[in-house]
Amino acid sequence: MKKVPTFEDLFRDCRRTAVHLEMRDAYMKSDPAFIDWKAGKTLDPAERWADWHAIVTEAASRGVEVRRARIVSTPVSEYIRFEHAVTDGLNIAAGEDVRWLSRRQATDIALPGNDFWLFDSSLVLLNHFDGEGENMEMELTEAPEVAELCEAAFAAVWKRATPHAEFELS
């Protein structure tokens, strides 16, 4: 396993595309932002996640196409409602294009076992979570067969997925 560079390093070195596939219904429910959202507090995503916002904005301003697809169970979980609520102010505002796909519509798509980022169609950052969506560990690989699987999976999901502005929570 290679030493994993920071997200800032990965985005700084990226030249063409950075795509992210998320397939869990909950992540890090201990996140203070999620806890605040559940408590009804108003969040400013660009302020709360300023570092992330800056990294993505910089990459997008260089012409990197940043896309994120989320496969979700329906009806959606409380955590997915949170993600949906902050997507405009965080992801879209930073320059990401985001789409959503009901898990029911993904049955016949060959998917990798883990969420991932794919940079320039060749560098894969795999995200490993425990059963509760906590304790993320990252693994970096340039294995061509992994990159090809991730690229094909993302393309298939993206083609079927609904743009964020049109996705209705159920």
Side-chain angles (χ1 to χ4, degrees):
M1 187 180 342
K2 289 185 173 187
K3 180 184 180 294
V4 177
T6 66
F7 273 113
E8 186 175 1
D9 293 336
L10 291 167
F11 273 90
R12 187 182 325 113
D13 294 343
C14 187
R15 297 292 168 240
R16 297 179 319 280
T17 59
V19 301
H20 185 38
L21 182 60
E22 297 178 357
M23 299 179 283
R24 298 183 58 87
D25 287 319
Y27 297 89
M28 301 186 194
K29 292 187 274 185
S30 62
D31 179 350
F34 177 60
I35 294 167
D36 286 349
W37 176 84
K38 279 178 37 176
K41 295 181 181 176
T42 302
L43 299 179
D44 179 349
E47 180 181 307
R48 178 74 66 127
W49 294 283
D51 291 344
W52 174 252
H53 193 271
I55 290 167
V56 174
T57 299
E58 191 280 327
S61 72
R62 286 189 288 108
V64 174
E65 182 181 25
V66 183
R67 296 182 295 160
R68 178 184 305 252
R70 293 176 170 143
I71 298 174
V72 298
S73 297
T74 52
V76 299
S77 68
E78 182 177 38
Y79 191 89
I80 294 303
R81 288 184 185 285
F82 160 70
E83 278 195 330
H84 192 272
V86 300
T87 294
D88 277 323
L90 177 62
N91 309 93
I92 305 295
E96 284 187 60
D97 192 359
V98 179
R99 292 187 183 180
W100 302 79
L101 182 66
S102 167
R103 191 171 312 284
R104 293 171 189 260
Q105 296 174 308
T107 300
D108 62 344
I109 299 174
L111 299 168
N114 298 288
D115 290 8
F116 64 84
W117 276 96
L118 176 62
F119 296 93
D120 291 334
S121 301
S122 61
L123 183 62
V124 182
L125 180 66
L126 298 164
N127 303 133
H128 301 287
F129 294 91
D130 67 18
E132 297 297 324
E134 302 281 342
N135 303 313
M136 181 176 69
E137 294 179 19
M138 296 182 285
E139 176 185 355
L140 194 64
T141 181
E142 294 179 78
E145 64 278 6
V146 175
E148 289 169 12
L149 171 65
C150 291
E151 187 163 43
F154 186 87
V157 169
W158 191 258
K159 183 176 179 180
R160 289 187 191 175
T162 302
H164 173 71
E166 299 168 25
F167 184 75
E168 295 182 22
L169 297 177
S170 55

